[in-house]
């Protein structure tokens, strides 16, 4: 796992906690391989298994209702205890607790989403996964989902009540608001981190959504 600050080798049994929108690359040293990846953004928990020879974004599923079912406080508490563990034995115990919580959350998310269209769920997971890329578009998502842009847009609106382009923009702006609230980033850097190349455009749509410019956050 490679970041601008250096690399971290991830071996079997390793749990790596990564900050949201951390710029990174992954280099696979051995095959076959499998990683269980859990991404918590806004109120959506996405859990998927990345492994050799399969689509890493076919989720166990990502749905907005997940954290209404899964106990988010329990998961956050277990992760905090893991990060604060004073020795390897206690860290191993808390790792098991985190893993158990993630498995339960994934099962409940899958059950909650079972009545929904799998294509829409995959597209939602893809949006959260690629939100920092300027190449994230409705056309690209349609190609990924194996259908035309118009068909995907209609299906997405029917399933969620929201247009796909509007969904992408909302996720970007909500991510940006969280980043600005955390501090330490310029408006231009924040725009880039959520996949918007033009800071002026970012500032305009941010003001339209939240009623104030990003520079005042």
């Amino acid at each position: 796992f490679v970041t601008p600050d250096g690399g971290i080798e991830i071996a079997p049994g390793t749990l790596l906690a990564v900050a949201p929108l951390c710029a990174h690359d992954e280099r696979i040293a051995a095959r076959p391989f499998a990683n269980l990846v859990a991404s918590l953004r806004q109120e959506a928990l996405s859990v998927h298994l990345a492994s050799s020879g399969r689509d890493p974004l076919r989720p166990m599923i990502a749905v907005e209702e997940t954290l209404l079912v899964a106990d988010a406080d329990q998961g956050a508490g277990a992760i905090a205890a893991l990060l604060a563990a004073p020795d390897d034995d206690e860290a191993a115990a808390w790792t098991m607790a985190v893993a158990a919580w993630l498995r339960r959350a994934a099962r409940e998310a899958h059950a909650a989403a079972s009545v929904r269209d799998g294509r829409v769920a995959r597209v939602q997971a893809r949006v959260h996964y690629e939100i920092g890329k300027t190449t994230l578009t409705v056309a690209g998502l349609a190609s990924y989902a194996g259908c035309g842009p118009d068909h995907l847009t209609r299906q997405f609106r029917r399933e969620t009540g929201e247009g796909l382009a509007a969904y992408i923009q909302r996720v970007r702006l909500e991510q940006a608001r969280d980043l600005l609230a955390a501090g330490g980033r310029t408006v231009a850097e924040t725009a880039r981190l959520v996949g918007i190349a033009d800071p002026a455009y970012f500032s305009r749509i941010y003001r339209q959504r939240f009623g104030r410019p990003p520079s005042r956050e």
Side-chain angles (χ1 to χ4, degrees):
F1 188 92
V2 183
T3 75
D5 296 324
I8 301 170
E9 182 176 347
I10 303 175
T14 300
L15 185 147
L16 177 65
V18 181
L21 299 180
C22 171
H24 69 275
D25 188 18
E26 298 175 10
R27 301 172 188 171
I28 300 166
R31 295 180 184 273
F33 81 98
N35 290 333
L36 181 65
V37 182
S39 176
L40 181 60
R41 295 184 180 179
Q42 306 296 327
E43 294 181 352
L45 173 68
S46 170
V47 181
H48 65 269
L49 182 68
S51 60
S52 301
R54 66 161 292 176
D55 178 357
L57 291 179
R58 187 178 295 277
M60 286 179 70
I61 211 111
V63 292
E64 297 293 337
E65 295 83 5
T66 302
L67 293 185
L68 300 179
V69 179
D71 186 342
D73 290 336
Q74 177 190 354
I79 292 171
L82 167 62
L83 296 176
D87 54 55
D88 289 347
D89 289 341
E90 185 167 335
W94 281 113
T95 297
M96 295 300 293
V98 171
W101 174 73
L102 287 172
R103 283 195 298 270
R104 180 166 65 85
R107 284 196 304 270
E108 291 170 347
H110 184 77
S114 61
V115 298
R116 302 175 64 195
D117 185 270
R119 175 181 287 156
V120 170
R122 287 183 65 206
V123 166
Q124 287 179 311
R126 186 85 180 192
V127 169
H128 282 272
Y129 189 82
E130 294 198 339
I131 200 64
K133 299 181 179 180
T134 58
T135 53
L136 177 62
T137 63
V138 171
L141 289 167
S143 177
Y144 169 75
C147 62
D150 291 343
H151 177 79
L152 178 61
T153 297
R154 287 193 299 271
Q155 188 174 28
F156 193 93
R157 185 180 293 279
R158 185 168 60 248
E159 288 282 336
T160 68
E162 184 176 21
L164 180 52
Y167 178 78
I168 295 170
Q169 185 177 100
R170 176 170 66 82
V171 172
R172 279 179 162 150
L173 292 176
E174 289 174 352
Q175 293 271 357
R177 182 174 58 179
D178 288 347
L179 289 169
L180 289 167
R185 295 182 176 88
T186 66
V187 169
E189 182 182 10
T190 301
R192 179 180 56 79
L193 286 172
V194 297
I196 300 176
D198 184 350
Y201 171 72
F202 168 72
S203 295
R204 184 167 69 253
I205 61 174
Y206 191 97
R207 181 195 287 270
Q208 288 171 352
R209 181 163 189 85
F210 298 119
R212 59 188 180 276
S215 58
R216 293 182 57 187
E217 295 288 9

